[in-house]
Amino acid sequence: MYSTLEKKYKLIQKELMIGTIALGGVFLIGTLWYRLMEGWSWEDAAYMTVITLATVGYGETHPLGSRGRLFTIALILLGVINIGYIVNRFTEAVIQGYFQEGIRLRQQRRLMESLLEHYIICGFSRTGRQIAKEFWAEGVSFVVIDSEVESVQKAQTEGYMAYQGDATLDDTLLKVGIERAICIVAALPSDAENLYTVLSAKTLNPGIRAIARASTEEALQKLQRGGADAVISPYITGGKRMAAAALRPQVMDFVDGILTGADRQLYMEEFLLDPAFCPFVGQTLQKAKLRSQTGGLILAIRRIDGNLIGGPTGETVLMPGDTLICMGTAEQLRSLNQILGPIRSQKLRKPKNS
């Protein structure tokens, strides 16, 4: 499957190739005629064919009879039609920018082939645009997929890497490096499309983290059964956040301030502990002295079995596979990242410099 832009570029390539092959065929026919039917040498036959097709107005290389002149007339007409067709297609390609588009497509393909441990956003509607904005603020590498040319062009205008295609198809996901990605966000307008996207992504890359958008509670359950690691319903989540904003406005302002935006003073981040790299596995928080060394605050610990420890004390032991949920400034979290290994640092979003 090719995108609309790729189809246009490939079509103009095909048309120019057909025109060139046809012109070569006319040249071959003319040369063979003058060689075999008129008995000229190969050099004279080729020369006569070239000046005839070019319509330069030179005289006949050797005298021609009526049959030869009729053939030459036909050869001139064929040559004018072929050359006119090629010039027409080439001019249109230059005016429409198809050659520049072809160069851009090749550059984009090379960039996508070089992507590693990136994020994929499926759908560039209002939800997808907000996700891309947050990813851009975090400085992570990501690519946008959308089936509409206008949406793709808009994403590219905003500086995002974008690909036009159907995210539910395996071929499209392979084009954007699904096997090398670490997370896919299915933010398509249709619940069915999001389900197909999650199923395709999990089939092509079982280890990828899949986040999906759901419009209804029924779709939410189906997406979870389909393998989505997290399912977000804008309506349910929006309602909860509006209620929280009404009941606990200061708490909501604080949480929003550390979760989103590029001009934050405090950040939240998660760190996975691996005994192969982290020197503090098996120690208590008091002994590890992470807070005194970095200034970062450990808010919670998610055990490997899913159990969540909120507000861990100094006696809490750090275990293999624990995920530390931490808060601090950009510098504090960078220091914490370095002290902890870092574990899977290539997959962690390091806080940006202020």
Side-chain angles (χ1 to χ4, degrees):
M1 175 186 171
Y2 296 106
S3 68
T4 302
L5 297 176
E6 286 177 308
K7 286 179 180 177
K8 289 181 180 179
Y9 176 64
K10 289 184 177 295
L11 178 62
I12 200 70
Q13 273 189 321
K14 182 179 179 181
E15 290 174 342
L16 286 172
M17 186 175 294
I18 290 174
T20 303
I21 292 174
L23 184 61
V26 172
F27 171 79
L28 182 62
I29 291 172
T31 302
L32 290 174
W33 171 276
Y34 292 123
R35 168 63 182 170
L36 300 177
M37 303 303 294
E38 301 294 336
W40 298 358
S41 66
W42 286 109
E43 181 181 355
D44 288 343
Y47 177 74
M48 181 64 182
T49 303
V50 169
I51 63 175
T52 301
L53 293 177
T55 64
V56 294
Y58 292 168
E60 298 171 355
T61 305
H62 297 292
L64 288 171
S66 298
R67 183 181 64 176
R69 290 181 175 178
L70 288 174
F71 174 78
T72 302
I73 292 172
L75 193 64
I76 292 173
L77 293 175
L78 287 173
V80 168
I81 292 172
N82 265 277
I83 294 174
Y85 176 80
I86 293 173
V87 171
N88 175 269
R89 304 315 296 155
F90 183 82
T91 304
E92 181 180 348
V94 172
I95 293 174
Q96 297 295 331
Y98 290 137
F99 293 130
Q100 296 92 319
E101 184 62 32
I103 293 172
R104 191 193 64 77
L105 286 171
R106 287 195 293 271
Q107 291 174 339
Q108 182 187 66
R109 185 165 293 136
R110 284 196 294 269
L111 281 174
M112 289 186 180
E113 289 174 353
S114 67
L115 286 173
L116 182 65
E117 296 178 341
H118 55 290
Y119 293 72
I120 300 173
I121 303 174
C122 303
F124 199 65
S125 58
R126 288 175 295 180
T127 303
R129 285 196 293 271
Q130 186 60 40
I131 297 169
K133 184 179 179 181
E134 294 296 333
F135 281 1
W136 184 267
E138 290 282 352
V140 300
S141 61
F142 66 93
V143 59
V144 175
I145 303 175
D146 200 284
S147 59
E148 299 295 331
V149 178
E150 295 78 9
S151 297
V152 171
Q153 291 174 340
K154 186 170 184 178
Q156 291 172 341
T157 301
E158 295 182 15
Y160 308 145
M161 189 183 304
Y163 179 80
Q164 188 207 349
D166 186 348
T168 64
L169 301 179
D170 291 356
D171 185 63
T172 301
L173 295 178
L174 289 171
K175 289 280 181 65
V176 297
I178 185 68
E179 70 279 9
R180 302 185 305 276
I182 60 174
C183 182
I184 183 169
V185 182
L188 298 166
S190 167
D191 291 331
E193 289 178 319
N194 288 326
L195 179 58
Y196 283 132
T197 300
V198 170
L199 289 172
S200 298
K202 285 292 187 177
T203 300
L204 297 171
N205 183 356
I208 196 170
R209 179 170 173 78
I211 315 296
R213 173 188 182 276
S215 300
T216 64
E217 290 190 20
E218 182 181 0
L220 188 149
Q221 295 172 358
K222 289 183 178 179
L223 283 161
Q224 288 175 335
R225 292 199 297 267
D229 297 282
V231 183
I232 308 298
S233 172
Y235 307 108
I236 296 174
T237 303
K240 290 180 178 180
R241 289 177 65 85
M242 290 177 71
L247 299 173
R248 306 172 188 87
Q250 299 304 320
V251 173
M252 283 301 300
D253 288 344
F254 175 74
V255 172
D256 284 341
I258 62 176
L259 287 180
T260 60
D263 55 349
R264 292 172 278 170
Q265 294 183 344
L266 291 176
Y267 295 80
M268 289 186 68
E269 190 56 275
E270 58 184 56
F271 301 93
L272 178 65
L273 303 186
D274 188 329
F277 297 96
C278 181
F280 302 109
V281 172
Q283 297 183 14
T284 63
L285 284 175
Q286 184 178 14
K287 187 175 181 180
K289 297 181 181 180
L290 298 178
R291 179 69 188 277
S292 61
Q293 291 186 70
T294 66
L297 178 63
I298 300 177
L299 300 177
I301 298 177
R302 173 78 70 177
R303 297 297 192 191
I304 195 171
D305 60 1
N307 183 37
L308 181 66
I309 303 174
T313 67
E315 301 304 317
T316 303
V317 179
L318 298 175
M319 304 295 291
D322 281 355
T323 299
L324 305 187
I325 301 172
C326 307
M327 182 180 70
T329 64
E331 187 59 40
Q332 288 171 345
L333 292 183
R334 270 194 294 270
S335 299
L336 190 59
N337 194 29
Q338 294 171 357
I339 288 176
L340 292 176
I343 306 308
R344 297 169 63 196
S345 59
Q346 70 275 18
K347 297 184 180 180
L348 291 174
R349 303 181 304 279
K350 295 183 180 180
K352 298 171 68 179
N353 289 317
S354 302

